[in-house]
Amino acid sequence: MGFTFSTLHIDNELELRLLDESDAEPLFRLVDENRKHLREWLPWLDHNTRVEDTMQFLHSCRVQYDNQICFNASIRHNGAIAGVIGFHPIDWQNRSAMIGYWIAKQYEGKGMMTRACSALTTYAFKNLSLNRVDIRCATGNARSCAIPKRLGFRFEGTLRQAEWLYDHFVDLHVYSMLAKDWSGT
Ligand SMILES: CC(C)(COP(=O)(O)OP(=O)(O)OC[C@H]1O[C@@H](n2cnc3c(N)ncnc32)[C@H](O)[C@@H]1OP(=O)(O)O)[C@@H](O)C(=O)NCCC(=O)NCCS
């Protein structure tokens, strides 16, 4: 299996664009401005404190994309980076992928992440011929859990203490969509 991704147009204001090293400065700035917001639920903020760390992340994204293991795209709102979404990882053997995402505080509540997840799920089924997409969210992260629920993903269960978040474990809710059930909402 193999795929190439560059840009996925969603609507008049939104598109997903494959991240590369040229995004290091604006991406780091966005992360830095949103450190407190993102740190509540994402485990990597303390390892990303300099633009060089973002560059390193982007480099590893490129290697993983070249090896077709993962991919990360910027969510662009009228051209500006608003957040990141991707498949991490893609399990080609089982035709399954997990979606991960974040968006900057100032873009929350506009349905942008719902639209981005919907577009990426359609892309997974139509372009990559995957069979299953899942989204895992900390049980306390209600905003995030609302996204797969809103898109009709099925709640499958809870992985106990599945993620270490700086100083404590969190449980993760698992939501999935199968190709046969996706109506492309
Ligand atoms: C989780 C996160 C991505 C959710 O972002 P969000 O902006 O709230 O999500 P959406 O883009 O789907 O927005 C949903 C809201 O937009 C509203 N909305 C507006 N237009 C909409 C549309 N066309 N479609 C869907 N929702 C729409 C919804 O009513 C909803 O509002 P509500 O929160 O008041 O109920 C964001 O809070 C975040 O990045 N948090 C930090 C990192 C994180 O938790 N990542 C996920 C780890 S699993």
Side-chain angles (χ1 to χ4, degrees):
M1 269 316 261
F3 76 105
T4 55
F5 183 95
S6 120
T7 301
L8 183 62
H9 180 77
I10 300 179
D11 54 36
N12 286 345
E13 55 179 24
L14 273 192
E15 68 178 18
L16 307 184
R17 226 183 274 172
L18 189 69
L19 279 168
D20 67 30
E21 283 88 342
S22 68
D23 296 314
E25 289 278 351
L27 184 60
F28 176 72
R29 216 175 312 123
L30 195 67
V31 167
D32 210 35
E33 286 163 5
N34 283 272
R35 196 164 286 283
K36 189 160 170 277
H37 161 63
L38 298 175
R39 199 176 181 281
E40 192 179 356
W41 296 114
L42 298 174
W44 46 263
L45 275 297
D46 293 356
H47 303 294
N48 189 312
T49 56
R50 305 163 308 155
V51 71
E52 290 79 8
D53 300 325
T54 297
M55 187 61 91
Q56 180 61 42
F57 163 70
L58 293 170
H59 177 70
S60 70
C61 287
R62 176 183 292 281
V63 172
Q64 290 177 330
Y65 172 75
D66 288 346
N67 289 309
Q68 309 266 286
I69 302 167
C70 292
F71 101 106
N72 275 294
S74 55
I75 301 170
R76 301 269 173 168
H77 181 258
N78 296 328
I81 300 183
V84 172
I85 188 167
F87 295 127
H88 0 101
I90 303 176
D91 174 352
W92 293 107
Q93 176 71 27
N94 296 305
R95 291 170 51 210
S96 174
M98 201 191 307
I99 295 183
Y101 48 69
W102 63 263
I103 199 159
K105 186 89 188 148
Q106 66 265 39
Y107 295 101
E108 272 190 323
K110 302 180 196 314
M112 284 169 52
M113 194 56 85
T114 303
R115 282 180 275 156
C117 276
S118 176
L120 208 53
T121 302
T122 297
Y123 181 82
F125 295 144
K126 287 214 172 121
N127 298 65
L128 304 184
S129 299
L130 298 184
N131 179 58
R132 173 189 159 95
V133 167
D134 78 52
I135 296 179
R136 300 175 183 201
C137 316
T139 52
N141 192 350
R143 286 190 86 88
S144 186
C145 293
I147 292 174
K149 283 193 223 165
R150 194 178 290 123
L151 291 172
F153 281 51
R154 185 184 292 188
F155 173 65
E156 290 189 330
T158 307
L159 302 174
R160 296 179 306 149
Q161 300 195 356
E163 185 173 18
W164 178 252
L165 210 51
Y166 305 102
D167 56 4
H168 65 291
F169 284 110
V170 289
D171 296 347
L172 299 180
H173 281 335
V174 180
Y175 300 89
S176 73
M177 178 57 68
L178 301 182
K180 70 178 178 61
D181 296 330
W182 181 240
S183 55
T185 27

